[in-house]
Amino acid sequence: MKRYERFADEIAELIRDGVLAPGERVPSVRQASRQYGISPSTVFQAYYLLEDRGLIVAKARSGYYVREQARRVLHEPHMTPRRQETADVAVSELAFSVLDSLQDPETVPFGSAFPSPELFPLARLSRSMAKGLRGMAGSDVLKDMTAGDADLRRQIVLRYTLKGMPLPSEELVITSGAMEALNLGLQSVTSPGDLVAIESPAFYASLQILERLKLRAVEVPVHPRTGIDLDVLADSLARLPIKACWFMSHLQNPLGASLDDDSKRELYALIKRHRVPLIEDDAYAELHFGTTPPKPVKQFDDEGLVIHCGSFSKCLAPGYRVGWVAGGRFAEPISRLKLMTTISPSVPAQAAIADYLQHGGYDRHLRQLRHALETQQRQMLDAASRYFPDETRATHPAGGYFLWFEFPERVDSLRLFRQARKRGISVAPGPIFSATRGFRHCLRLSYGHPWNPRSEAAMATLGELIDTF
Amino acid sequence: MKRYERFADEIAELIRDGVLAPGERVPSVRQASRQYGISPSTVFQAYYLLEDRGLIVAKARSGYYVREQARRVLHEPHMTPRRQETADVAVSELAFSVLDSLQDPETVPFGSAFPSPELFPLARLSRSMAKGLRGMAGSDVLKDMTAGDADLRRQIVLRYTLKGMPLPSEELVITSGAMEALNLGLQSVTSPGDLVAIESPAFYASLQILERLKLRAVEVPVHPRTGIDLDVLADSLARLPIKACWFMSHLQNPLGASLDDDSKRELYALIKRHRVPLIEDDAYAELHFGTTPPKPVKQFDDEGLVIHCGSFSKCLAPGYRVGWVAGGRFAEPISRLKLMTTISPSVPAQAAIADYLQHGGYDRHLRQLRHALETQQRQMLDAASRYFPDETRATHPAGGYFLWFEFPERVDSLRLFRQARKRGISVAPGPIFSATRGFRHCLRLSYGHPWNPRSEAAMATLGELIDTF
């Protein structure tokens, strides 16, 4: 990262944390240059970047100010208490109708689970693919199918090491995206009928997978900013024969909440005490807005209890279908299960990503991607504050590409989903994120696509529809 | 196909069917030219090709003769009756140790489930990959992830149509190889504890999958040439609450047996009468040695009861992990199950195969592949007749790349497997093909790799080891 980018990120973090409030003046170029020991031109470059990202505005002859974010700042949503202790899961139909709503390319894709492919270096990746395939002997094809591409494995292990989490190579299984990793992890530690602790609200695919595997959900409430309620979890683990936990400790989908390191340590202590494996879905690991990459619960794992699932689908190569799992003590059963179900992710796709990680400029791409997402988040929050009713609450996550909106109780997000669909807008209604069909007055919207006049108009339309309730 | 290739195939079929016996003179060039209405040079070209494939030999001044295949022709193995009516399945450990035995690249891979990658147009495929990726818009990436690559879908539907089996496009789901197709098919029609009719001996992965899904096996004996015993099947279907059948009607793994069309019709009538879905594993569809491609049981399916699974892994693109399922009335649940487990096979891999099917010369490649496999089969059978004991029996399948050997009862193939492994030879012992651990004196050997002096030496070593029993 260049010096001016690093400085810009530091200022952005001060703004995000409220240390620099909206309307407040940011340090002058001279002050900043002296205080941070950088050249004035570096400060200028950083401020241009921040202006570009919409975080500060220049006022003629008086310097830079933190942008008055919007007409008003939306309040944080409430935390929803648990409605029932355990639940059978049946959310698939609803989730599939959201997927259906995205089939029409003319639809405004606020309901999408994927960021826009325009944000990814697809052309560069296909050059990496060509290079990777040229260097591949026929015999590699079969070898890579059981063990995974050796270069890719090395690169993934290296990235764990750089984060301060050395990973024994035997723990690593390359999978067809995080989705397969999660499926394999869950199957390797549960049997039909078992209880699994999940978040509420939760990523709907986890609900679908529980449903498919005939597992029962113990829903643990998630605070919209600080993450899963550890007291409720401790209580559930103490009283119920829970066989596995499945959580996102970082940029939780749909809330964008993250546990801090102390809470992660506490969470690990809990599962260790009860000897319950944790399936840690870390699909958004690289999409943090701040400068310091957060570490997962896996960092504390000294007994191989954490099954840590990652993917390139949301940060580099959508459609390549390459992810991985650091399977802890369950790595071997997971690997075998994979050989019995899909055998291997596509070998050329693995080779492409391996080459890209080595030569493609991954970290530069990630910085651009994070900046784009942060800008788009602000644009969507601005639009929401303009068009949505006053009582609307919204998350302000420090990464990812989802916002969670809480409306007054009278708003029925399922009806809203159907009405919006007729107007060419896809949204993800609250109940698909819950085994107990809660969150009826909530909505998840994705800002994963570059903002444009159609996005703006769609927000206005949603505002009008919400007003009719 | 060129005229001389077609004529060569016709003569090869006469040899295979025994119409032209070993040592017998094939029609002279003049006779053939007159009788088939082709030019003498076309006949010459065909005979050169047949000589090259080892089917005929030239004798000075007296023309061409059918090759005296070998020292002697091995007899067909026996058909093994069923040992018990239903069985829990636990074959994984053993199957995985066979996989393990293949990890060392120095091993002679007779135990491999894949043909040699050298037999496939990998360089041409990677050009197709580059072309396919160049033509792909970012938005296609997400679209192709749910629905599958549109060109690939069209090409697959077209190939069904050309075989005289029009396929409604909605029935088609693109999968991560046939392995995922089979898994999804089975899961969509069964629940844990259900009975599933499978072949005996059966492809060991099917046993592993049953084991994983906690399904119980009803083993139906397979004749080494004519395929599954329909009387036993009829009886089982009448008496047991079988929820699904999983069969390979063509080039069955491990026996290489194929049902003829009348038997396929009868099989379909049976499952239709009992309303039991058939999961038809047709992974070797393109690997027939004869000129006429056989049609699957699916050809008779007028009620959507047949879940027909295919793949490009064994005939074109190993490691790309692209297959499909024509799911009949179960297509929608199968498609949904896929979205919940792996979402999609790799989009670039799909694009590469789509381009190759349109522009790469697939049918020419398939002809070369079939010729190579047929030659390799003869080489392995010749070696077996030289090195294996006199009582050895062997299949002579009309396609694929597996031979099934039956030795005298005293030969323990599990011990043989371990001994051979120490000598650097991987083999697949009989018991991995049975839920009831039968076939202890049998062995599956793959001729999927080009024959070389090491293969010859390995057969001699196996012969020596077998002699010690």
Side-chain angles (χ1 to χ4, degrees), chain A residues 92-93 96-97 99-100 103 105 112 114-118 122 125-126 129-130 133-134 136-143 145-147 176-177 179-181 183 187 190-192 205 208-209 212-214 318-321 335-349 449, chain B residues 92-93 96-97 99-100 103 105 112 114-118 122 125-126 129-130 133-134 136-143 145-147 176-177 179-181 183 187 190-192 205 208-209 212-214 318-321 335-349 449:
Chain A
S92 271
E93 278 302 323
F96 282 118
S97 64
L99 269 184
D100 270 355
Q103 286 302 308
S112 177
F114 286 89
S116 166
E118 292 167 49
L122 295 178
L125 269 170
S126 69
M129 174 85 86
L133 283 174
R134 265 201 306 278
M136 185 178 293
S139 55
D140 292 344
V141 174
L142 293 189
K143 209 176 68 221
M145 234 167 31
T146 31
S176 296
M179 189 72 109
E180 185 182 38
N183 267 283
Q187 281 177 78
T190 60
S191 298
Q208 290 179 308
I209 293 172
R212 177 174 82 80
L213 298 175
K214 300 191 170 35
Y320 278 60
R321 307 306 306 138
S335 164
R336 289 184 162 196
L337 213 47
K338 186 192 73 158
L339 288 172
M340 283 189 246
T341 43
T342 59
I343 301 181
S344 162
S346 176
V347 170
H449 285 65
Chain B
S92 271
E93 276 304 322
F96 282 118
S97 64
L99 269 184
D100 270 355
Q103 286 302 309
S112 177
F114 285 89
S116 167
E118 293 167 50
L122 295 178
L125 268 170
S126 69
M129 174 85 85
L133 283 174
R134 265 201 306 280
M136 186 178 293
S139 55
D140 292 344
V141 174
L142 294 189
K143 209 176 69 221
M145 230 163 39
T146 32
S176 296
M179 190 71 110
E180 185 181 38
N183 266 282
Q187 281 178 76
T190 60
S191 298
Q208 292 179 307
I209 293 172
R212 177 174 83 80
L213 297 175
K214 300 189 168 37
Y320 278 60
R321 307 307 305 140
S335 165
R336 290 183 161 196
L337 214 47
K338 186 192 72 158
L339 288 172
M340 283 189 247
T341 44
T342 59
I343 302 182
S344 162
S346 177
V347 169
H449 285 66

Side-chain angles (χ1 to χ4, degrees), chain B residues 231-247:
Chain B
D231 292 334
V232 173
L233 177 64
D235 176 66
S236 301
L237 283 171
R239 288 186 308 101
L240 299 167
I242 290 171
K243 286 287 159 47
C245 297
W246 172 341
F247 301 141

Side-chain angles (χ1 to χ4, degrees), chain B residues 154-394:
Chain B
R154 265 194 299 277
Q155 290 293 322
I156 294 173
V157 167
L158 180 66
R159 292 189 75 84
Y160 274 89
T161 310
L162 291 176
K163 273 196 176 181
M165 299 166 54
L167 181 75
S169 172
E170 318 82 72
E171 264 202 48
L172 184 66
V173 182
I174 309 291
T175 60
S176 296
M179 190 71 110
E180 185 181 38
L182 295 162
N183 266 282
L184 297 175
L186 193 63
Q187 281 178 76
S188 68
V189 298
T190 60
S191 298
D194 282 351
L195 289 179
V196 177
I198 59 164
E199 292 148 336
S200 176
F203 173 36
Y204 56 79
S206 68
L207 299 169
Q208 292 179 307
I209 293 172
L210 260 60
E211 183 180 342
R212 177 174 83 80
L213 297 175
K214 300 189 168 37
L215 297 166
R216 308 196 73 222
V218 176
E219 292 194 321
V220 182
V222 180
H223 183 277
R225 186 168 24 87
T226 59
I228 194 158
D229 187 322
L230 292 174
D231 292 334
V232 173
L233 177 64
D235 176 66
S236 301
L237 283 171
R239 288 186 308 101
L240 299 167
I242 290 171
K243 286 287 159 47
C245 297
W246 172 341
F247 301 141
M248 299 185 79
S249 66
H250 174 229
L251 297 175
Q252 196 261 356
N253 179 1
L255 292 177
S258 296
L259 295 176
D260 61 23
D261 265 358
D262 283 343
S263 306
K264 285 177 187 159
R265 189 180 289 110
E266 192 182 333
L267 170 56
Y268 183 70
L270 267 175
I271 63 153
K272 185 170 169 179
R273 185 174 329 133
H274 293 281
R275 314 205 67 69
V276 171
L278 166 65
I279 294 142
E280 185 170 26
D281 178 358
D282 206 6
Y284 306 116
E286 299 292 0
L287 302 185
H288 54 88
F289 294 162
T291 38
T292 325
K295 291 196 226 173
V297 177
K298 181 78 179 168
Q299 68 182 301
F300 301 111
D301 186 14
D302 53 7
E303 295 205 347
L305 276 174
V306 179
I307 297 171
H308 183 244
C309 302
S311 171
F312 295 105
S313 299
K314 310 295 174 65
C315 55
L316 175 64
Y320 278 60
R321 307 307 305 140
V322 177
W324 70 88
V325 46
R329 61 169 77 165
F330 309 101
E332 199 190 353
I334 288 172
S335 165
R336 290 183 161 196
L337 214 47
K338 186 192 72 158
L339 288 172
M340 283 189 247
T341 44
T342 59
I343 302 182
S344 162
S346 177
V347 169
Q350 293 183 57
I353 293 178
D355 182 84
Y356 182 88
L357 293 182
Q358 285 174 83
H359 309 295
Y362 186 37
D363 287 303
R364 193 177 54 237
H365 155 68
L366 285 176
R367 277 197 304 278
Q368 290 167 352
L369 175 62
R370 289 173 197 140
H371 288 170
L373 292 178
E374 189 168 8
T375 303
Q376 290 161 206
Q377 181 191 93
R378 183 181 47 73
Q379 289 164 318
M380 181 174 264
L381 276 172
D382 282 1
S385 71
R386 275 193 295 278
Y387 304 118
F388 289 2
D390 278 347
E391 315 96 302
T392 306
R393 291 168 172 268

Side-chain angles (χ1 to χ4, degrees), chain A residues 6-58:
Chain A
R6 209 157 63 232
F7 175 60
D9 273 356
E10 283 163 22
I11 297 292
E13 202 133 0
L14 294 177
I15 295 172
R16 228 186 342 261
D17 295 347
V19 177
L20 286 170
E24 195 174 329
R25 195 171 186 274
V26 300
S28 74
V29 173
R30 195 147 39 145
Q31 281 177 321
S33 165
R34 207 176 315 126
Q35 191 181 335
Y36 290 85
I38 49 180
S39 74
S41 76
T42 302
V43 180
F44 266 122
Q45 275 185 294
Y47 285 0
Y48 289 150
L49 183 61
L50 290 169
E51 196 179 8
D52 202 44
R53 283 161 65 187
L55 293 173
I56 62 176
V57 285

Side-chain angles (χ1 to χ4, degrees), chain B residues 373-437:
Chain B
L373 292 178
E374 189 168 8
T375 303
Q376 290 161 206
Q377 181 191 93
R378 183 181 47 73
Q379 289 164 318
M380 181 174 264
L381 276 172
D382 282 1
S385 71
R386 275 193 295 278
Y387 304 118
F388 289 2
D390 278 347
E391 315 96 302
T392 306
R393 291 168 172 268
T395 52
H396 296 65
Y401 47 92
F402 294 126
L403 289 178
W404 179 258
F405 291 95
E406 182 184 312
F407 302 110
E409 294 274 355
R410 66 179 178 275
V411 177
D412 175 352
S413 67
L414 291 178
R415 227 169 79 207
L416 182 59
F417 162 71
R418 289 188 296 268
Q419 292 172 340
R421 188 173 180 176
K422 280 186 205 138
R423 309 280 289 264
I425 306 163
S426 164
V427 302
I432 69 172
F433 301 98
S434 160
T436 46
R437 296 273 176 130

